[in-house]
Amino acid sequence: MKRAIALAIGAVSVVFACAQEEGVPNDDPQNDLRDVIEQRVEAVAELLGDDSNVDLTVLTERLFEFAKDPIDLNRTDVDELAQLLLLSDVQISSIMEHERKFGPLLSFYELQTIDAMDRLTISLIRPFVKVRDNINATRASFKEILKYGSHEIMIRSVVNVEQRKGYLGQSSPFGTGYVDPDGEALPNVDDGQVLDSLRRFNKVYLGSPYKLFARYRFKYRSNISFGITAEKDEGEEFFKGTQANGFDFYSAHLFVRNVGPVKALALGDYSAQFGQGLVFWSGLALGGKSAFTMNIKRNAAGLLPYSSVNESLFLRGAGVVVELAKNLEGTAFISHKGYDATVIDPNDTTAENTDADVLFSALLEDGYHRTTTSVARKDAITETILGGHLRYKRPTWSLGATAVQARFSNILVRDVKPYNRFEFQGNVNTTYGADWNLLYRNITWFGEVARSANGGMAGLSGLLVALDKRLSLALLYRDYQREFQNLYSVPFGASRVPWNERGLYTGIELKATRQWQFNAYFDQFKFPWLRFLRNAPSDGYDVFGQLTWSASKKVQLSIRARFQDGQINDSRTEGIDGLLRQTRNNYRFNASYQVSDGVSMRTRVERIDYRRGEEPTERGFLIYQDVIHRPMKSKLELTGRIAIFSTDSYDARVYAYENDVIGLFSIPAHYGKGMRWYAMARWSVTRGVDLWLRYGAWIFNDQDRISSGLEETNGNRKSDLKVELRVKL
C-alpha cells in the first residue's frame, strides 16, 4: 500500500516536473532529445582537444539507438544502464537495489521514489528508458528480425572550396586554382613529365580533393548488427592508380547478441573494452575530466561492432563472449590486420641493426594515403592480437581478469631519447591485469591493476559517493610506473600516455536546488621521469569549476573557470634543470535560450590566458552566436554560427565544438585573428530520407596564406562544403 501511494505521488510529481519544472526538457521526441545528445557529445569533445583521430559517431549512434529502442528497466543490468552516460554509478546502484527490495518497477514514475534519483535526471533519461508491462518477452524469430530490423544507407562528400597547393595539376571544383602567395612561378603541371616528377617526390597529392564516405547498416534492436563502411580521404585516388579497388578503406562487421550461451559474437571489424582501460581498450574511451565531474569511471562494454572510419583503432577478426557458468562469462578475441608504419630504409647506415627487413620506427594512425611515400607505408607491417577476459558478475559486484598479447610482424626500434628510454620496443608484448567494481548502497568502488611483459606495473582505484540526492563526491588515485608498456591502454590520466604518472583526482557535484548546479574538480599529478619537452621530472595541477543556472525551461546559463599548471623546458637553458612553469587559464560564459517553439539560440564568450615562465601573458578570445531552427512540423531545419576570435599565439588557441552533418564532428582550434561561420540545413525529403548541406568558412585578418606545405591555401579565406544523404528504412 505504501509503495502504491508513493508511486502515485511520484507519478504526479514527475508529470508536473516534466511539464512545468524550470530548466527541465519536455517530451519533444526530436528537439529535446538532440539537445541532450549534443550536450553530452560536446562535453566528450572538450576532452579530445585537437585529437581528430577520435570518431564520436559511436556516441551519438548509441544514444539515438537507445531512444529508438529504450532500455527496459525491469530487464536491464548495470552494464547496459552505464552505456547511457546519463546516470552516475550511484544512481544505477540505487535502481538495482530498489528492484531487489520491491520487485519489478510498476511504472517509469516509480523512479521518483528512489532517493538517489532527482527530477532533472529522471526527465533526462526519459527518452531512453521504459518499463514494459510484459517482462517475460519471447525471443524474436528470424522472420520478425527481417520485418522489424532497420536498414540505413549513408552517403557523404566533403570538399574544400579554395584549392590547396597539393592539388596542383587538377582542375578546381569551384574554379579557384592555387596561386603562390609570394607571386613565385609554379611548376608547369601541364607537362606530364613535370607532373609525374612532382607526384613521385611527394610534391602534390595523387588523388582528387573530394572526401567520400558510404555506409550500409542493418540493425535489429541491440541483438544484430551488420554493416559495410567505405571511405576515401581527400587527396587519395579513387578507382585508379594506387586505389584500383575504389575506396582506400573498407570495413565490415557482423555482430550478434544473446544466442543461447553466446552473449556476443563479433565477426569482421569490432572493438573490445575491458576494466578501466589499463590492459586493453579499443574505440572511444568515455570517462575523464569534464564538466560531468562524476563521470571518471570507464564503463567497459566488452565487445562492440565497429562502423567508424578510423583506420587504425579497431580489431579485425573474431571475438566471442560466452556464459561459462552462472554469473561467470568469458571473452576470447583475435585480430589480424595491416598497420601503417615507417619501415627503416635498408640503405640507412645510421641504423644500429642493418637487418632492416624486420625493423620499423613508427606506427602511423592518420589513415592518409595520398602521396607516394604514404602509399608505400600503408599496411607496411601486420599486427596480431590475442586476448581474453574472465568476469565473475554479481548484482552488486564484479571481478575481472584480462590478458592480451600483441605481436607485430616487424621489430619496433625507436630513436631512443632520455624521455622515451622506457617505452616499448620489440615485436611482442603481453599485458595482463585484474579489475573490480563494487556497488554498496550509495558507494561505488572500482579499479584495475596491470602488468606488462617487462615487469612494469600500473594501477588506479576510485570511489564515487552520493551523500544524498543533491551532493556527490568522486576520488581517483592512479600510479603508472615509467616501465609500464602498453600500446592499447587508455585509462584516466593527465597525459595521453598511460605510464610515468601519479595523480589524485577529487570531484564534487552539488545540485543545490532545481535551478542551481555546481560541478568542480581538482586534479594534482606528477611525472616521476622525463617526458617529451620536459628534461626533468615535472608536476602540475588542473582545477575546474562550473556553476549552472536553469533559470526557466527555456533559459540556461553557465559560467566556468579552469586553471591548468604544468612545467615545460626552458628554451633558454640546457640540462635536466631547465624547466619553467606554464599556466593556461580558461574562463567561459555560456547561455542557451529558446526564443520560440522552433527556435533556440546559444551564446558563448570565452577567454584564454597562457603564460610561460616570466614571459608576457598571451591571450585568446572567442565569442560566438548559434541559431538553431527546428520547427516541429517543418521538413526543413537550419543551424548556423558566427564566431569572432583573436589570439596572440597558437598556445592561446580556443577550441569550440561545432554542429555538423550526422556522423561528422568538428572541434576546431581558433587561433590568429578573424571570423568563423557556418550554416547547415537538413531537409527531410520524405519519411526516412534526410539530406544535409553544410558550408563553413574561416576568414583571417592577419594572414595572406593559410596552413603550409601541401595544405597551403592562398589568401585569407578557407571554406568547405559538405553534402550527406541518409536513408533509413
Side-chain angles (χ1 to χ4, degrees):
M1 183 63 180
K2 292 181 179 180
R3 185 185 182 191
I5 294 174
L7 175 59
I9 295 174
V12 173
S13 300
V14 174
V15 170
F16 180 78
C18 291
Q20 301 185 22
E21 183 181 7
E22 296 182 336
V24 176
N26 59 24
D27 288 331
D28 182 335
Q30 293 297 323
N31 293 355
D32 290 333
L33 176 60
R34 290 181 199 168
D35 287 340
V36 170
I37 293 175
E38 287 174 2
Q39 290 172 15
R40 178 61 67 174
V41 171
E42 182 173 4
V44 173
E46 290 178 356
L47 304 178
L48 305 177
D50 58 354
D51 189 356
S52 59
N53 288 327
V54 178
D55 188 349
L56 293 174
T57 307
V58 62
L59 176 57
T60 302
E61 289 182 345
R62 185 183 304 171
L63 292 175
F64 271 114
E65 287 167 5
F66 282 134
K68 183 178 179 180
D69 183 24
I71 295 172
D72 184 355
L73 291 174
N74 286 327
R75 303 183 69 228
T76 189
D77 57 20
V78 172
D79 295 335
E80 187 176 36
L81 286 176
Q83 299 305 310
L84 274 178
L85 306 173
L86 298 173
L87 291 169
S88 69
D89 282 73
V90 173
Q91 290 171 324
I92 294 172
S93 176
S94 299
I95 294 173
M96 298 291 101
E97 182 67 21
H98 181 87
E99 293 189 7
R100 282 191 294 273
K101 286 183 177 180
F102 302 107
L105 297 174
L106 301 179
S107 166
F108 170 83
Y109 303 111
E110 192 173 339
L111 293 176
Q112 179 69 18
T113 67
I114 300 176
D115 288 340
M117 299 296 293
D118 59 271
R119 293 178 180 177
L120 177 59
T121 302
I122 292 173
S123 63
L124 286 177
I125 68 171
R126 193 174 186 181
F128 309 104
V129 300
K130 64 182 177 182
V131 175
R132 289 190 177 130
D133 295 332
N134 177 17
I135 65 172
N136 298 314
T138 59
R139 297 190 178 185
S141 64
F142 182 72
K143 182 178 180 180
E144 180 183 356
I145 291 172
L146 293 179
K147 181 178 180 181
Y148 295 105
S150 63
H151 302 264
E152 180 187 68
I153 299 173
M154 186 181 295
I155 301 172
R156 179 172 63 237
S157 178
V158 180
V159 64
N160 281 274
V161 174
E162 293 78 20
Q163 190 180 53
R164 287 163 287 173
K165 187 176 182 179
Y167 297 100
L168 284 173
Q170 302 186 39
S171 60
S172 174
F174 301 94
T176 53
Y178 174 80
V179 177
D180 187 88
D182 299 321
E184 296 181 1
L186 297 174
N188 181 16
V189 292
D190 293 330
D191 186 328
Q193 291 184 341
V194 173
L195 184 58
D196 287 342
S197 177
L198 293 174
R199 290 162 60 95
R200 187 166 58 253
F201 291 100
N202 307 305
K203 300 300 183 181
V204 295
Y205 293 133
L206 301 175
S208 71
Y210 293 97
K211 184 172 185 177
L212 303 176
F213 168 88
R215 186 178 75 182
Y216 165 77
R217 190 172 185 182
F218 171 83
K219 280 182 62 66
Y220 175 75
R221 303 180 64 177
S222 62
N223 300 89
I224 297 177
S225 176
F226 168 74
I228 300 174
T229 302
E231 186 197 45
K232 166 204 169 308
D233 287 314
E234 54 195 11
E236 295 174 344
E237 293 186 285
F238 191 55
F239 282 110
K240 66 178 182 179
T242 60
Q243 301 295 344
N245 295 323
F247 291 92
D248 173 70
F249 177 70
Y250 289 95
S251 175
H253 75 268
L254 173 63
F255 196 86
V256 181
R257 291 188 190 274
N258 300 322
V259 179
V262 177
K263 307 294 289 184
L265 174 65
L267 299 174
D269 295 345
Y270 63 99
S271 299
Q273 304 171 353
F274 306 106
Q276 293 300 305
L278 263 180
V279 177
F280 193 86
W281 194 287
S282 65
L284 183 62
L286 304 177
K289 291 184 288 187
S290 73
F292 298 93
T293 51
M294 299 301 292
N295 288 7
I296 57 173
K297 176 176 173 287
R298 297 272 194 268
N299 291 300
L303 302 183
L304 290 169
Y306 186 81
S307 59
S308 298
V309 292
N310 185 291
E311 300 182 25
S312 302
L313 305 180
F314 66 95
L315 302 175
R316 176 165 289 175
V320 62
V321 182
V322 179
E323 186 176 6
L324 302 174
K326 185 178 180 181
N327 303 320
L328 179 66
E329 66 180 29
T331 302
F333 60 97
I334 182 172
S335 172
H336 182 77
K337 73 176 193 293
Y339 216 118
D340 292 4
T342 301
V343 178
I344 294 178
D345 187 346
N347 298 317
D348 184 2
T349 58
T350 63
E352 295 182 5
N353 189 334
T354 57
D355 189 9
D357 290 339
V358 295
L359 300 181
F360 72 100
S361 60
L363 293 167
L364 307 175
E365 298 181 350
D366 60 19
Y368 288 126
H369 306 114
R370 52 191 185 182
T371 63
T372 301
T373 298
S374 61
V375 169
R377 292 170 176 171
K378 181 178 180 180
D379 296 339
I381 65 171
T382 58
E383 169 202 66
T384 302
I385 298 176
L386 295 171
H389 178 75
L390 282 175
R391 186 183 187 196
Y392 186 77
K393 181 180 176 183
R394 301 288 293 174
T396 58
W397 61 274
S398 66
L399 288 174
T402 311
V404 177
Q405 182 181 89
R407 180 183 296 271
F408 297 109
S409 58
N410 298 25
I411 298 175
L412 172 61
V413 177
R414 298 183 186 275
D415 181 13
V416 178
K417 305 291 184 181
Y419 74 88
N420 69 355
R421 60 171 297 191
F422 296 102
E423 294 184 18
F424 172 74
Q425 295 194 86
N427 69 324
V428 180
N429 189 37
T430 302
T431 312
Y432 53 89
D435 62 89
W436 65 90
N437 190 63
L438 172 65
L439 303 176
Y440 178 72
R441 294 185 178 178
N442 62 335
I443 298 175
T444 299
W445 177 41
F446 62 93
E448 186 174 15
V449 293
R451 185 180 188 274
S452 53
N454 67 334
M457 300 288 293
L460 66 86
S461 183
L463 280 175
L464 301 172
V465 183
L467 301 181
D468 63 28
K469 66 170 56 181
R470 288 178 291 273
L471 179 61
S472 298
L473 301 176
L475 289 170
L476 188 146
Y477 177 76
R478 71 269 191 191
D479 187 349
Y480 311 143
Q481 293 182 355
R482 65 184 184 181
E483 295 85 3
F484 182 65
Q485 298 177 346
N486 191 353
L487 300 177
Y488 309 94
S489 181
V490 286
F492 183 99
S495 172
R496 292 188 179 182
V497 293
W499 48 81
N500 183 35
E501 177 178 323
R502 291 195 201 103
L504 177 64
Y505 171 98
T506 305
I508 183 173
E509 181 177 86
L510 175 63
K511 298 177 181 178
T513 67
R514 298 175 186 174
Q515 290 80 34
W516 291 94
Q517 178 171 322
F518 177 69
N519 293 78
Y521 68 72
F522 177 73
D523 187 37
Q524 189 170 17
F525 43 85
K526 292 184 177 181
F527 305 106
W529 184 248
L530 285 59
R531 300 169 60 224
F532 181 63
L533 296 182
R534 280 86 175 168
N535 290 337
S538 57
D539 57 47
Y541 63 82
D542 186 354
V543 183
F544 171 91
Q546 176 170 297
L547 182 64
T548 303
W549 178 38
S550 298
S552 69
K553 190 174 99 171
K554 297 183 178 181
V555 178
Q556 185 180 81
L557 308 177
S558 68
I559 56 173
R560 72 163 57 173
R562 185 181 183 185
F563 308 100
Q564 297 170 276
D565 181 278
Q567 292 176 287
I568 196 168
N569 287 344
D570 185 348
S571 58
R572 299 168 299 180
T573 64
E574 295 183 0
I576 63 172
D577 296 324
L579 293 183
L580 48 77
R581 310 301 303 189
Q582 66 170 354
T583 60
R584 181 179 173 88
N585 301 330
N586 173 226
Y587 310 91
R588 176 188 296 178
F589 167 78
N590 196 84
S592 301
Y593 40 99
Q594 188 172 347
V595 296
S596 67
D597 291 340
V599 179
S600 58
M601 306 183 77
R602 300 170 189 159
T603 303
R604 176 171 298 178
V605 180
E606 190 159 359
R607 172 177 161 174
I608 300 291
D609 292 343
Y610 174 83
R611 190 176 187 187
R612 181 170 174 164
E614 299 301 320
E615 297 176 4
T617 300
E618 298 173 351
R619 307 191 189 280
F621 176 79
L622 169 70
I623 181 171
Y624 72 64
Q625 178 65 56
D626 286 350
V627 179
I628 302 99
H629 178 54
R630 292 173 178 165
M632 289 292 296
K633 297 182 179 180
S634 174
K635 291 187 176 183
L636 186 64
E637 297 179 3
L638 301 173
T639 304
R641 169 180 297 178
I642 296 179
I644 305 296
F645 59 92
S646 175
T647 72
D648 294 334
S649 70
Y650 183 73
D651 289 325
R653 62 193 179 276
V654 186
Y655 290 103
Y657 169 83
E658 296 183 354
N659 293 96
D660 214 322
V661 301
I662 191 165
L664 283 183
F665 294 89
S666 302
I667 322 165
H670 299 67
Y671 61 93
K673 294 177 174 59
M675 180 177 75
R676 166 67 172 165
W677 73 272
Y678 68 84
M680 181 172 67
R682 176 192 178 187
W683 177 32
S684 296
V685 182
T686 185
R687 183 175 181 180
V689 179
D690 295 311
L691 179 66
W692 278 266
L693 180 66
R694 185 185 191 269
Y695 177 83
W698 297 89
I699 304 173
F700 292 91
N701 299 330
D702 58 346
Q703 299 183 35
D704 62 359
R705 72 194 71 192
I706 301 173
S707 294
S708 60
L710 299 187
E711 288 294 291
E712 183 179 273
T713 299
N714 178 37
N716 69 337
R717 184 185 184 93
K718 181 179 180 180
S719 56
D720 59 66
L721 181 67
K722 302 177 183 180
V723 181
E724 180 171 283
L725 175 68
R726 185 180 68 170
V727 180
K728 298 191 72 173
L729 305 174

